[in-house]
Amino acid sequence: MSLPVVSPPFDAPDESPSVAGVLLAAGTSDRYGERNKLLETHDGDPLVRGAARTLLAAPVDPVIVVVGHEADRVAAALNGLDVELVQNDAYATGQASSVREGMRAVPDRADAAVVALGDMPFVAPATVGRLVDAYAAGAGDALAAAHDGHRGNPVCFDRRFFDALTDVTGDVGGRSILLDHGVLVDTGDPGVRRDVDEPSDL
């Protein structure tokens, strides 16, 4: 099923919504090999630090980072950044457990949340801004960053989906919500389609 696509520029709203950022950084990096891919270096920073800095440079607040596998080492890689750490003890059950913990940590004041992945270091901060702008302009309540019409990450969910996101299971995250309600935001950023699964991806 193809999803509708919207493109910037987007009309500025009379009042800007409050949007939180949630970074998923709890996975085991099974496909990467022996090392934790989130701690591998790109442009001088561990992947997870670069991903967190992308959210910190975007119009989201607070930035919540969900940790699990090697939580102490991942937390150390984020030292000095203005992020809130949330522990996911069930990280081995799949991404949905991290989504669940992250959404539970989003403050009540937030109208929506952008969910990003710690293994996607090529996403530009402006791309997160485009998602927020699209949400603020009323383009949709479940938005996914896209490039050349193909869905990628990060994604943005309105608060009305928060309860459903805390009920997801396995390794699917919010995919079913996107398939049923999603709108693609054309970002012009190929980084939204590039994650790091193997050492060659860097």
Side-chain angles (χ1 to χ4, degrees):
M1 179 182 65
S2 60
L3 299 177
V5 180
V6 296
S7 300
F10 301 105
D11 294 333
D14 293 334
E15 185 174 343
S16 297
S18 173
V19 181
V22 177
L23 183 65
L24 307 184
T28 58
S29 306
D30 284 344
R31 286 179 287 177
Y32 196 82
E34 295 294 323
R35 302 190 303 275
N36 186 337
K37 66 181 177 182
L38 296 181
L39 303 177
E40 296 289 274
T41 301
H42 173 70
D43 281 350
D45 276 332
L47 296 189
V48 67
R49 188 178 182 88
R53 289 176 64 183
T54 293
L55 288 181
L56 288 167
V60 296
D61 180 66
V63 174
I64 298 158
V65 183
V66 183
V67 298
H69 177 62
E70 297 188 339
D72 290 344
R73 295 183 66 207
V74 174
L78 298 167
N79 189 45
L81 297 183
D82 185 18
V83 299
E84 300 178 14
L85 298 180
V86 173
Q87 176 72 34
N88 174 19
D89 293 326
Y91 62 87
T93 63
Q95 188 183 93
S97 62
S98 291
V99 172
R100 184 164 58 246
E101 294 302 328
M103 300 315 295
R104 286 173 176 167
V106 172
D108 291 342
R109 63 178 170 80
D111 300 300
V114 169
V115 181
L117 305 181
D119 65 351
M120 296 189 68
F122 308 107
V123 176
T127 293
V128 182
R130 289 187 187 100
L131 271 183
V132 174
D133 289 346
Y135 171 75
D141 287 343
L143 302 159
H147 180 64
D148 284 346
H150 297 287
R151 179 168 56 91
N153 282 288
V155 295
C156 179
F157 294 106
D158 181 78
R159 173 168 287 280
R160 74 183 181 98
F161 295 117
F162 285 9
D163 286 344
L165 288 167
T166 60
D167 287 338
V168 294
T169 58
D171 203 37
V172 295
R175 191 177 307 153
S176 62
I177 293 172
L178 287 171
L179 292 177
D180 289 341
H181 305 279
V183 173
L184 302 183
V185 178
D186 182 16
T187 64
D189 180 2
V192 304
R193 298 274 299 165
R194 294 182 62 193
D195 60 356
V196 176
D197 287 328
E198 301 173 354
S200 60
D201 293 330
L202 284 173

